[in-house]
Amino acid sequence: MAETMAGYNKDDLLKQAQNIWTMLDDMAANNPQAYKQFMDKQMKEGKEAMAPPKPHMVVKTTVLEPEKDDLYINFCSWPRVPCPKTPNDAVPVIGVPIEKMKDRTESYSLTSVAFNPKVLDNYGRDSSNLTDRDTLINLAMDYIEDQQKVKLNHQYTVLDRDTPHKGCLKHIQKSFTSKSKVDKEFESNLENLEKSFSPFGPGGKDKLMEALANISVGDSQSDSHIPKSDQSEIRMPFEDKPTGRANLIEEIASDVVLLKKPEYSMETVDVHSGKCVQVKISLPEVASVQECELEISQDDVSLLVPDRYKLHLQLPHPVDEEQATAKFNKKHSSLNITMPWSQ
């Protein structure tokens, strides 16, 4: 079976990429003005499709099994998720693994799901029919239960508008955009194409991806239709069959890699310049700092080693992220982070 990326066949995308590059080679040579107009249009329309997910609402419920815990579900709006082409199609969704989180007030579990903006416009927080919204939320819970192998309490609370997301927004967005091994192979193929066809110039691969995203998203939405009449339920496949809610949501991120949480230690220490937070993270099989993606903010630290490790820590005290340092110990395969307290 051909691999997919965000719901699209990678082989088809590569063929489309080669066709586009060939066409643009000819256009750039024979009609520079038409080439410029085409690229301006693609970049403008593709910008939204390549934007990160935006928070829409937060639902709070409870994980019942395997371990009882409060669970917050971020519902996000993302144009890269296709909209159902007809009212009878399944609703595509992208999800991320459940994580254990801790902030200054509580410990909890967190996950996120992303839908096309049109789906959330019609069936999300501001849905004119609360039954529609309840159906979407319960379908999302069914999806989480199936993918994460957990049992949820389907009684829930939608948090107020002043809490559009739970957890660090950058961390949420990065959870959706972390590249799998398959995605890296796809990018490698694009880089090979870039060496052969170069009308975009340096960085052509990224610009082509924007054009492809725009074309693919546009194709998936061109025939879409959301029923505007008053209805008591969201129309999806199998709705006339007595199968409950099973199979009503279409998963389009089946290649999400479940990443390990590495062992770590965190402590506050006194140094000559004042107090600082020190974090030591053990990363077996990681050979260099180039494999690590580290983000430090005033309140938290996020670490991603693609296809291996993922860690998000709430800091015990605000820090000066500009003065933070990180050193990788190759001998012990560990990352040591020092963050001075903010004044």
Side-chain angles (χ1 to χ4, degrees), residues 95-183:
V96 301
I98 294 176
E99 296 182 84
K100 293 285 188 179
M101 309 294 285
K102 184 177 182 181
D103 57 27
R104 294 191 180 96
T105 60
E106 61 177 334
S107 298
Y108 57 91
S109 293
L110 180 70
T111 189
S112 302
V113 290
F115 294 91
N116 184 272
K118 289 185 179 180
V119 172
L120 292 177
D121 286 345
N122 284 276
Y123 308 124
R125 175 188 288 279
D126 298 319
S127 174
S128 59
N129 189 323
L130 293 181
T131 302
D132 286 351
R133 187 180 75 176
D134 179 71
T135 301
L136 182 68
I137 291 173
N138 274 282
L139 285 172
M141 289 186 183
D142 287 344
Y143 165 78
I144 293 168
E145 287 180 320
D146 178 68
Q147 295 299 309
Q148 306 296 327
K149 309 306 178 187
V150 296
K151 182 177 180 181
L152 304 182
N153 182 348
H154 280 252
Q155 299 294 318
Y156 61 84
T157 301
V158 178
L159 301 192
D160 293 338
R161 291 180 184 277
D162 58 2
T163 307
H165 62 86
K166 182 72 173 179
C168 173
L169 180 56
K170 286 185 178 180
H171 179 72
I172 295 168
Q173 293 172 333
K174 197 164 188 176
S175 296
F176 282 109
T177 56
S178 297
K179 296 182 179 67
S180 67
K181 290 180 180 178
V182 174
D183 292 331

Coordinates of all heavy atoms in Angstrom, one line a residue, residues 95-183:
G95 N -4.7 13.3 14.8 CA -4.6 13.3 16.3 C -3.1 13.1 16.7 O -2.3 12.7 15.9
V96 N -2.8 13.4 18.0 CA -1.5 13.2 18.5 C -1.6 12.4 19.8 O -2.7 12.3 20.4 CB -0.8 14.6 18.8 CG1 -0.7 15.4 17.6 CG2 -1.5 15.3 19.9
P97 N -0.5 11.7 20.2 CA -0.6 10.8 21.4 C -0.9 11.6 22.6 O -0.6 12.8 22.8 CB 0.8 10.2 21.4 CG 1.4 10.3 20.0 CD 0.8 11.6 19.5
I98 N -1.5 10.9 23.6 CA -1.8 11.5 24.9 C -0.4 11.6 25.7 O 0.4 10.7 25.7 CB -2.7 10.6 25.7 CG1 -4.1 10.5 25.1 CG2 -2.8 11.0 27.2 CD1 -5.1 9.6 25.7
E99 N -0.3 12.8 26.3 CA 0.9 13.0 27.1 C 0.5 13.3 28.6 O -0.5 13.9 28.9 CB 1.7 14.2 26.6 CG 2.2 14.1 25.2 CD 3.0 15.3 24.8 OE1 4.2 15.4 25.1 OE2 2.4 16.2 24.1
K100 N 1.4 13.0 29.5 CA 1.3 13.4 30.9 C 1.9 14.8 31.1 O 3.0 15.0 30.7 CB 2.0 12.4 31.8 CG 1.4 11.0 31.8 CD 0.1 11.0 32.6 CE -0.4 9.6 32.8 NZ -1.7 9.5 33.6
M101 N 1.1 15.7 31.6 CA 1.6 17.1 31.8 C 1.5 17.5 33.2 O 0.7 16.9 34.0 CB 0.8 18.0 30.9 CG 0.7 17.5 29.4 SD 2.2 17.6 28.6 CE 2.4 19.3 28.3
K102 N 2.2 18.6 33.5 CA 2.1 19.2 34.9 C 2.4 20.7 34.8 O 3.4 21.1 34.1 CB 3.1 18.5 35.8 CG 3.1 19.0 37.2 CD 4.0 18.2 38.1 CE 3.9 18.7 39.6 NZ 4.9 17.9 40.4
D103 N 1.5 21.5 35.4 CA 1.8 22.9 35.5 C 1.8 23.3 36.9 O 1.9 22.4 37.8 CB 0.8 23.7 34.6 CG -0.6 23.5 35.0 OD1 -0.9 23.1 36.2 OD2 -1.5 23.6 34.2
R104 N 1.7 24.6 37.2 CA 1.8 25.1 38.6 C 0.6 24.8 39.4 O 0.6 24.9 40.6 CB 2.1 26.6 38.6 CG 3.4 26.9 38.0 CD 3.8 28.4 38.3 NE 5.0 28.7 37.7 CZ 5.2 29.3 36.5 NH1 4.1 29.6 35.8 NH2 6.4 29.6 36.0
T105 N -0.5 24.3 38.8 CA -1.7 24.1 39.5 C -2.2 22.7 39.5 O -2.9 22.2 40.5 CB -2.9 25.0 39.0 OG1 -3.1 24.6 37.6 CG2 -2.5 26.5 39.1
E106 N -1.8 21.9 38.5 CA -2.3 20.5 38.5 C -1.5 19.6 37.6 O -0.7 20.1 36.8 CB -3.8 20.5 37.9 CG -3.9 21.1 36.5 CD -5.3 21.0 36.0 OE1 -6.1 20.1 36.4 OE2 -5.6 21.8 35.1
S107 N -1.7 18.3 37.8 CA -1.1 17.3 36.9 C -2.3 16.7 36.0 O -3.4 16.6 36.6 CB -0.5 16.2 37.6 OG 0.6 16.6 38.4
Y108 N -2.1 16.5 34.8 CA -3.2 16.0 33.9 C -2.7 15.4 32.7 O -1.5 15.3 32.4 CB -4.0 17.3 33.5 CG -3.3 18.3 32.8 CD1 -3.1 18.4 31.4 CD2 -2.6 19.3 33.5 CE1 -2.4 19.4 30.8 CE2 -1.9 20.3 32.9 CZ -1.8 20.3 31.5 OH -1.0 21.3 30.9
S109 N -3.6 14.8 31.9 CA -3.2 14.2 30.6 C -3.7 15.2 29.5 O -4.7 15.9 29.7 CB -3.9 12.8 30.4 OG -3.3 11.9 31.3
L110 N -3.0 15.2 28.4 CA -3.3 16.1 27.3 C -3.2 15.4 25.9 O -2.3 14.7 25.7 CB -2.3 17.3 27.4 CG -2.5 18.4 26.3 CD1 -3.8 19.2 26.6 CD2 -1.3 19.3 26.3
T111 N -4.1 15.7 25.1 CA -4.0 15.3 23.7 C -4.7 16.4 22.8 O -5.3 17.3 23.3 CB -4.7 13.9 23.4 OG1 -4.4 13.5 22.1 CG2 -6.2 14.0 23.6
S112 N -4.5 16.3 21.5 CA -5.1 17.3 20.6 C -5.6 16.6 19.3 O -5.0 15.6 18.9 CB -4.0 18.3 20.2 OG -3.5 19.0 21.4
V113 N -6.6 17.1 18.7 CA -7.1 16.7 17.5 C -7.3 17.9 16.6 O -7.6 19.0 17.0 CB -8.5 15.9 17.6 CG1 -8.3 14.6 18.3 CG2 -9.5 16.8 18.4
A114 N -7.2 17.7 15.2 CA -7.3 18.8 14.3 C -8.3 18.4 13.2 O -8.3 17.3 12.7 CB -6.0 19.1 13.6
F115 N -9.2 19.4 12.9 CA -10.2 19.2 11.9 C -10.0 20.4 10.9 O -9.4 21.4 11.2 CB -11.6 19.3 12.4 CG -11.9 18.1 13.3 CD1 -11.7 18.2 14.7 CD2 -12.5 16.9 12.8 CE1 -12.0 17.1 15.6 CE2 -12.8 15.9 13.7 CZ -12.6 16.0 15.0
N116 N -10.6 20.2 9.7 CA -10.7 21.3 8.7 C -11.5 22.5 9.3 O -12.5 22.3 10.0 CB -11.4 20.8 7.4 CG -11.4 21.9 6.4 OD1 -12.3 22.7 6.3 ND2 -10.3 21.8 5.5
P117 N -11.1 23.7 9.0 CA -11.8 24.9 9.6 C -13.3 24.9 9.3 O -14.1 25.3 10.2 CB -11.1 26.1 8.9 CG -9.7 25.6 8.6 CD -9.9 24.1 8.3
K118 N -13.7 24.4 8.1 CA -15.1 24.4 7.8 C -15.9 23.5 8.8 O -17.1 23.7 9.1 CB -15.3 24.0 6.4 CG -14.9 25.1 5.4 CD -15.2 24.6 4.0 CE -14.8 25.7 3.0 NZ -15.2 25.3 1.6
V119 N -15.3 22.3 9.1 CA -15.9 21.4 10.0 C -16.2 22.1 11.4 O -17.3 22.0 12.0 CB -15.1 20.1 10.2 CG1 -15.7 19.2 11.3 CG2 -15.0 19.4 8.9
L120 N -15.2 22.8 11.9 CA -15.3 23.4 13.2 C -16.2 24.6 13.1 O -16.9 25.0 14.1 CB -13.9 23.8 13.8 CG -13.1 22.6 14.1 CD1 -11.7 23.1 14.6 CD2 -13.7 21.7 15.2
D121 N -16.2 25.3 12.0 CA -17.1 26.5 11.8 C -18.6 26.0 12.0 O -19.4 26.7 12.5 CB -16.9 27.1 10.5 CG -15.7 28.0 10.4 OD1 -15.1 28.2 11.5 OD2 -15.2 28.3 9.3
N122 N -18.9 24.8 11.4 CA -20.3 24.3 11.4 C -20.6 23.5 12.6 O -21.8 23.5 13.1 CB -20.5 23.5 10.1 CG -20.6 24.3 8.9 OD1 -21.7 24.8 8.6 ND2 -19.5 24.5 8.2
Y123 N -19.6 22.8 13.2 CA -20.0 21.8 14.2 C -19.2 22.0 15.5 O -19.2 21.2 16.4 CB -19.8 20.4 13.7 CG -20.5 20.1 12.4 CD1 -19.8 19.6 11.3 CD2 -21.9 20.4 12.3 CE1 -20.5 19.4 10.1 CE2 -22.5 20.2 11.1 CZ -21.8 19.7 10.0 OH -22.5 19.5 8.8
G124 N -18.4 23.1 15.6 CA -17.5 23.3 16.7 C -18.2 24.2 17.8 O -19.4 24.1 18.0
R125 N -17.4 25.0 18.5 CA -17.9 25.8 19.6 C -19.1 26.6 19.3 O -20.1 26.6 20.1 CB -16.8 26.7 20.1 CG -17.2 27.7 21.2 CD -16.2 28.7 21.5 NE -15.1 28.1 22.2 CZ -15.0 27.8 23.5 NH1 -16.1 28.1 24.3 NH2 -14.0 27.3 24.1
D126 N -19.2 27.2 18.2 CA -20.3 28.1 17.8 C -21.4 27.5 17.0 O -22.1 28.2 16.3 CB -19.7 29.4 17.1 CG -18.8 30.1 18.0 OD1 -19.1 30.3 19.2 OD2 -17.8 30.6 17.5
S127 N -21.4 26.2 17.0 CA -22.5 25.5 16.2 C -23.9 25.9 16.6 O -24.1 26.1 17.8 CB -22.3 24.0 16.3 OG -23.4 23.3 15.7
S128 N -24.7 26.2 15.6 CA -26.1 26.6 15.9 C -26.9 25.5 16.5 O -28.0 25.7 17.0 CB -26.8 27.1 14.6 OG -26.8 26.2 13.6
N129 N -26.4 24.3 16.3 CA -27.1 23.1 16.8 C -26.2 22.4 17.8 O -25.2 21.8 17.4 CB -27.5 22.1 15.6 CG -28.4 21.0 16.1 OD1 -28.3 20.5 17.2 ND2 -29.3 20.7 15.2
L130 N -26.5 22.4 19.1 CA -25.7 21.8 20.1 C -25.6 20.3 19.9 O -24.6 19.7 20.4 CB -26.2 22.1 21.5 CG -26.1 23.6 21.9 CD1 -26.6 23.8 23.3 CD2 -24.7 24.1 21.8
T131 N -26.6 19.7 19.3 CA -26.5 18.2 19.1 C -25.4 17.9 18.1 O -24.6 16.9 18.3 CB -27.8 17.7 18.5 OG1 -28.9 18.0 19.5 CG2 -27.8 16.2 18.3
D132 N -25.2 18.8 17.1 CA -24.1 18.6 16.2 C -22.7 18.7 16.9 O -21.8 17.9 16.6 CB -24.2 19.7 15.1 CG -25.3 19.5 14.1 OD1 -25.9 18.4 14.1 OD2 -25.6 20.4 13.3
R133 N -22.6 19.7 17.7 CA -21.4 19.9 18.5 C -21.1 18.7 19.3 O -20.0 18.1 19.4 CB -21.4 21.1 19.3 CG -20.0 21.5 19.9 CD -20.1 22.7 20.8 NE -20.8 22.5 22.0 CZ -20.9 23.5 23.0 NH1 -20.4 24.7 22.8 NH2 -21.5 23.2 24.1
D134 N -22.1 18.2 20.0 CA -22.0 17.0 20.9 C -21.5 15.8 20.1 O -20.7 15.0 20.5 CB -23.3 16.7 21.6 CG -23.2 15.5 22.5 OD1 -22.5 15.6 23.6 OD2 -23.8 14.5 22.2
T135 N -22.1 15.6 18.9 CA -21.8 14.5 18.1 C -20.3 14.6 17.6 O -19.6 13.6 17.7 CB -22.6 14.5 16.8 OG1 -24.0 14.4 17.2 CG2 -22.3 13.3 15.9
L136 N -19.8 15.7 17.2 CA -18.4 15.9 16.8 C -17.5 15.6 18.0 O -16.5 14.9 17.8 CB -18.2 17.3 16.3 CG -16.7 17.6 15.8 CD1 -16.5 16.8 14.6 CD2 -16.5 19.0 15.6
I137 N -17.8 16.1 19.2 CA -17.0 15.9 20.4 C -16.9 14.4 20.7 O -15.8 13.8 21.0 CB -17.4 16.7 21.6 CG1 -17.2 18.2 21.3 CG2 -16.7 16.3 22.8 CD1 -17.8 19.1 22.3
N138 N -18.1 13.7 20.7 CA -18.1 12.3 21.0 C -17.4 11.5 19.9 O -16.7 10.4 20.3 CB -19.5 11.8 21.2 CG -20.0 12.1 22.6 OD1 -19.7 11.3 23.5 ND2 -20.8 13.1 22.7
L139 N -17.5 11.9 18.7 CA -16.7 11.2 17.6 C -15.2 11.3 17.8 O -14.5 10.4 17.6 CB -17.1 11.7 16.3 CG -18.5 11.3 15.7 CD1 -18.9 12.0 14.5 CD2 -18.5 9.8 15.5
A140 N -14.8 12.5 18.2 CA -13.4 12.7 18.5 C -12.9 11.8 19.7 O -11.8 11.3 19.7 CB -13.1 14.2 18.9
M141 N -13.8 11.7 20.7 CA -13.5 10.8 21.8 C -13.4 9.4 21.4 O -12.5 8.6 21.8 CB -14.5 11.0 22.9 CG -14.5 12.3 23.7 SD -15.6 12.3 25.1 CE -15.4 14.0 25.7
D142 N -14.3 8.9 20.5 CA -14.2 7.6 20.0 C -12.9 7.3 19.3 O -12.3 6.3 19.4 CB -15.4 7.4 19.0 CG -16.7 7.2 19.7 OD1 -16.8 7.0 20.9 OD2 -17.8 7.3 19.0
Y143 N -12.5 8.3 18.5 CA -11.2 8.2 17.8 C -10.1 8.1 18.7 O -9.2 7.3 18.5 CB -11.1 9.5 16.9 CG -9.7 9.7 16.3 CD1 -9.2 9.0 15.3 CD2 -8.9 10.7 16.9 CE1 -7.9 9.2 14.8 CE2 -7.6 10.9 16.4 CZ -7.1 10.1 15.3 OH -5.9 10.3 14.9
I144 N -10.1 8.9 19.8 CA -9.0 8.9 20.8 C -8.9 7.5 21.5 O -7.9 7.0 21.7 CB -9.1 10.1 21.8 CG1 -8.9 11.4 21.1 CG2 -8.1 9.9 23.0 CD1 -9.3 12.6 21.9
E145 N -10.1 7.0 21.8 CA -10.2 5.7 22.5 C -9.6 4.6 21.6 O -8.9 3.8 22.1 CB -11.6 5.4 22.9 CG -12.2 6.2 24.0 CD -13.6 5.9 24.4 OE1 -14.4 5.7 23.4 OE2 -13.9 5.8 25.6
D146 N -9.9 4.7 20.3 CA -9.5 3.7 19.4 C -8.0 3.7 19.1 O -7.3 2.7 19.1 CB -10.2 3.8 18.1 CG -9.8 2.8 17.0 OD1 -10.0 1.6 17.2 OD2 -9.2 3.2 16.0
Q147 N -7.5 5.0 19.0 CA -6.1 5.1 18.6 C -5.1 5.0 19.8 O -4.0 4.5 19.7 CB -5.9 6.5 18.0 CG -6.6 6.6 16.6 CD -6.1 5.6 15.6 OE1 -4.9 5.5 15.4 NE2 -7.0 4.9 15.0
Q148 N -5.6 5.5 21.0 CA -4.7 5.5 22.2 C -4.9 4.4 23.1 O -4.3 4.2 24.1 CB -4.9 6.8 22.9 CG -4.8 8.1 22.1 CD -3.4 8.3 21.5 OE1 -2.4 7.9 22.2 NE2 -3.3 8.8 20.3
K149 N -5.9 3.5 22.8 CA -6.2 2.3 23.6 C -6.6 2.7 25.1 O -6.0 2.2 26.0 CB -5.1 1.3 23.6 CG -4.6 1.0 22.2 CD -5.8 0.5 21.3 CE -5.3 0.2 19.9 NZ -6.4 -0.1 19.0
V150 N -7.5 3.7 25.2 CA -7.9 4.1 26.5 C -9.4 4.1 26.5 O -10.1 4.0 25.5 CB -7.4 5.6 26.8 CG1 -5.9 5.6 26.9 CG2 -7.9 6.6 25.8
K151 N -10.0 4.2 27.7 CA -11.4 4.4 27.9 C -11.7 5.7 28.5 O -11.1 6.1 29.5 CB -12.0 3.3 28.8 CG -13.5 3.3 28.9 CD -14.0 2.2 29.7 CE -15.6 2.2 29.9 NZ -16.1 1.1 30.7
L152 N -12.6 6.5 27.9 CA -12.9 7.9 28.4 C -14.3 8.0 28.9 O -15.2 7.2 28.5 CB -12.7 8.9 27.2 CG -11.4 8.9 26.5 CD1 -11.4 10.0 25.4 CD2 -10.3 9.2 27.4
N153 N -14.5 8.9 29.8 CA -15.8 9.3 30.3 C -16.4 10.2 29.2 O -15.8 11.3 28.9 CB -15.7 10.0 31.6 CG -17.0 10.4 32.2 OD1 -18.1 10.3 31.5 ND2 -17.1 10.8 33.5
H154 N -17.5 9.9 28.6 CA -18.1 10.8 27.6 C -18.9 11.9 28.1 O -19.5 12.7 27.4 CB -18.9 9.9 26.6 CG -18.0 9.2 25.6 ND1 -17.9 9.6 24.3 CD2 -17.1 8.2 25.8 CE1 -17.1 8.8 23.6 NE2 -16.6 7.9 24.5
Q155 N -18.9 12.1 29.4 CA -19.4 13.4 30.0 C -18.2 14.4 30.0 O -17.1 14.0 30.4 CB -19.8 13.1 31.5 CG -21.0 12.1 31.6 CD -22.3 12.6 30.9 OE1 -22.6 13.8 31.1 NE2 -22.9 11.7 30.2
Y156 N -18.5 15.6 29.5 CA -17.4 16.5 29.3 C -17.8 17.9 29.6 O -19.0 18.2 29.7 CB -16.9 16.4 27.9 CG -17.9 16.7 26.8 CD1 -18.2 18.1 26.5 CD2 -18.7 15.8 26.2 CE1 -19.2 18.4 25.6 CE2 -19.7 16.1 25.3 CZ -19.9 17.4 25.0 OH -20.9 17.7 24.1
T157 N -16.8 18.8 29.6 CA -17.0 20.2 29.8 C -16.3 21.0 28.7 O -15.1 20.7 28.5 CB -16.6 20.7 31.2 OG1 -17.3 20.0 32.2 CG2 -16.8 22.2 31.3
V158 N -16.9 21.9 28.0 CA -16.2 22.8 27.1 C -15.7 24.0 27.9 O -16.5 24.7 28.5 CB -17.1 23.2 25.9 CG1 -16.4 24.2 25.0 CG2 -17.6 22.0 25.2
L159 N -14.4 24.3 27.9 CA -13.9 25.4 28.6 C -14.2 26.7 28.0 O -14.6 26.8 26.8 CB -12.3 25.3 28.7 CG -11.8 24.0 29.4 CD1 -10.3 24.2 29.7 CD2 -12.5 23.6 30.6
D160 N -14.2 27.8 28.9 CA -14.6 29.1 28.4 C -13.6 29.6 27.3 O -12.5 29.1 27.1 CB -14.5 30.1 29.6 CG -15.5 29.8 30.7 OD1 -16.5 29.1 30.3 OD2 -15.3 30.2 31.8
R161 N -14.1 30.6 26.6 CA -13.4 31.2 25.4 C -12.0 31.7 25.9 O -11.1 31.8 25.1 CB -14.2 32.3 24.8 CG -15.4 31.8 24.0 CD -16.1 32.9 23.4 NE -17.4 32.5 22.8 CZ -17.4 31.9 21.6 NH1 -16.3 31.8 20.9 NH2 -18.6 31.5 21.1
D162 N -11.9 32.1 27.1 CA -10.6 32.7 27.5 C -9.5 31.6 27.7 O -8.4 31.9 28.1 CB -10.7 33.5 28.8 CG -11.3 32.7 30.0 OD1 -11.6 31.5 29.8 OD2 -11.5 33.3 31.0
T163 N -9.9 30.3 27.5 CA -9.0 29.2 27.5 C -9.1 28.5 26.1 O -9.7 27.5 26.0 CB -9.2 28.2 28.6 OG1 -9.3 28.9 29.9 CG2 -8.1 27.2 28.7
P164 N -8.5 29.1 25.1 CA -8.6 28.5 23.7 C -7.8 27.3 23.6 O -8.0 26.5 22.6 CB -8.1 29.7 22.8 CG -7.2 30.4 23.7 CD -7.7 30.4 25.1
H165 N -6.8 27.1 24.4 CA -6.0 25.9 24.3 C -5.4 25.6 25.7 O -5.3 26.4 26.6 CB -4.8 26.0 23.3 CG -3.8 27.1 23.7 ND1 -2.8 26.9 24.5 CD2 -3.8 28.4 23.3 CE1 -2.1 28.0 24.7 NE2 -2.7 29.0 23.9
K166 N -5.1 24.3 25.9 CA -4.5 23.9 27.2 C -3.0 23.4 26.9 O -2.8 22.6 26.0 CB -5.3 22.7 27.8 CG -4.7 22.2 29.1 CD -5.0 23.1 30.3 CE -4.6 22.5 31.6 NZ -4.9 23.5 32.7
G167 N -2.1 24.0 27.6 CA -0.7 23.6 27.4 C 0.0 24.7 26.5 O -0.7 25.6 26.0
C168 N 1.2 24.5 26.3 CA 2.0 25.4 25.4 C 1.6 25.3 24.0 O 1.6 24.2 23.4 CB 3.5 25.1 25.6 SG 4.6 26.0 24.5
L169 N 1.2 26.4 23.4 CA 0.7 26.4 22.0 C 1.8 25.9 21.0 O 1.5 25.2 20.1 CB 0.2 27.8 21.6 CG -0.3 28.0 20.2 CD1 -1.5 27.0 19.9 CD2 -0.8 29.4 19.9
K170 N 3.0 26.4 21.2 CA 4.1 25.9 20.3 C 4.3 24.4 20.4 O 4.5 23.8 19.4 CB 5.4 26.7 20.6 CG 5.5 28.1 20.2 CD 6.8 28.7 20.5 CE 6.9 30.1 20.1 NZ 8.3 30.7 20.3
H171 N 4.2 23.9 21.6 CA 4.3 22.4 21.8 C 3.2 21.7 21.1 O 3.4 20.7 20.4 CB 4.3 22.1 23.3 CG 4.5 20.7 23.6 ND1 5.6 19.9 23.4 CD2 3.5 19.8 24.0 CE1 5.4 18.7 23.7 NE2 4.2 18.6 24.1
I172 N 1.9 22.2 21.2 CA 0.8 21.6 20.5 C 1.0 21.6 19.0 O 0.8 20.6 18.4 CB -0.5 22.4 20.9 CG1 -0.8 22.3 22.4 CG2 -1.7 21.9 20.1 CD1 -1.9 23.2 22.9
Q173 N 1.4 22.7 18.5 CA 1.6 22.8 17.0 C 2.7 21.9 16.5 O 2.6 21.3 15.5 CB 1.8 24.3 16.6 CG 0.6 25.2 16.9 CD 1.0 26.7 16.7 OE1 2.1 27.1 16.9 NE2 0.0 27.5 16.3
K174 N 3.7 21.8 17.3 CA 4.9 21.0 16.9 C 4.5 19.5 17.0 O 5.0 18.7 16.2 CB 6.1 21.3 17.8 CG 7.4 20.8 17.3 CD 8.5 21.4 18.0 CE 9.9 21.0 17.3 NZ 11.0 21.7 17.9
S175 N 3.6 19.2 17.9 CA 3.1 17.8 18.0 C 2.5 17.3 16.7 O 2.6 16.1 16.3 CB 2.1 17.6 19.1 OG 2.7 17.9 20.4
F176 N 1.8 18.2 16.0 CA 1.1 17.9 14.8 C 2.1 17.8 13.6 O 1.9 17.1 12.6 CB 0.0 18.9 14.4 CG -1.2 18.7 15.2 CD1 -1.6 19.7 16.2 CD2 -2.1 17.7 14.9 CE1 -2.8 19.5 16.9 CE2 -3.3 17.5 15.6 CZ -3.6 18.4 16.6
T177 N 3.2 18.6 13.6 CA 4.0 18.8 12.5 C 5.3 18.0 12.6 O 6.2 18.1 11.7 CB 4.4 20.2 12.3 OG1 5.0 20.8 13.5 CG2 3.1 21.0 11.9
S178 N 5.5 17.2 13.7 CA 6.7 16.3 13.8 C 6.8 15.4 12.6 O 5.8 14.7 12.3 CB 6.7 15.6 15.1 OG 6.7 16.5 16.2
K179 N 7.9 15.3 12.0 CA 8.0 14.4 10.8 C 8.3 13.0 11.1 O 9.1 12.7 12.0 CB 9.2 14.9 9.9 CG 9.0 16.3 9.3 CD 10.2 16.7 8.5 CE 10.0 18.1 7.9 NZ 10.0 19.1 8.9
S180 N 7.6 12.1 10.5 CA 7.8 10.7 10.6 C 9.0 10.2 9.7 O 9.4 11.0 8.8 CB 6.6 9.9 10.3 OG 6.3 10.0 8.9
K181 N 9.4 9.0 9.8 CA 10.4 8.5 8.8 C 10.0 8.6 7.4 O 10.7 8.9 6.5 CB 10.8 7.0 9.2 CG 11.5 6.9 10.5 CD 11.8 5.4 10.8 CE 12.6 5.3 12.1 NZ 12.8 3.8 12.4
V182 N 8.7 8.3 7.2 CA 8.1 8.3 5.8 C 8.2 9.7 5.3 O 8.5 9.9 4.1 CB 6.7 7.8 5.8 CG1 6.0 8.0 4.4 CG2 6.6 6.3 6.2
D183 N 7.9 10.7 6.1 CA 7.9 12.1 5.6 C 9.3 12.5 5.3 O 9.5 13.3 4.3 CB 7.4 13.0 6.7 CG 5.9 12.8 6.9 OD1 5.2 12.4 6.0 OD2 5.4 13.1 8.1

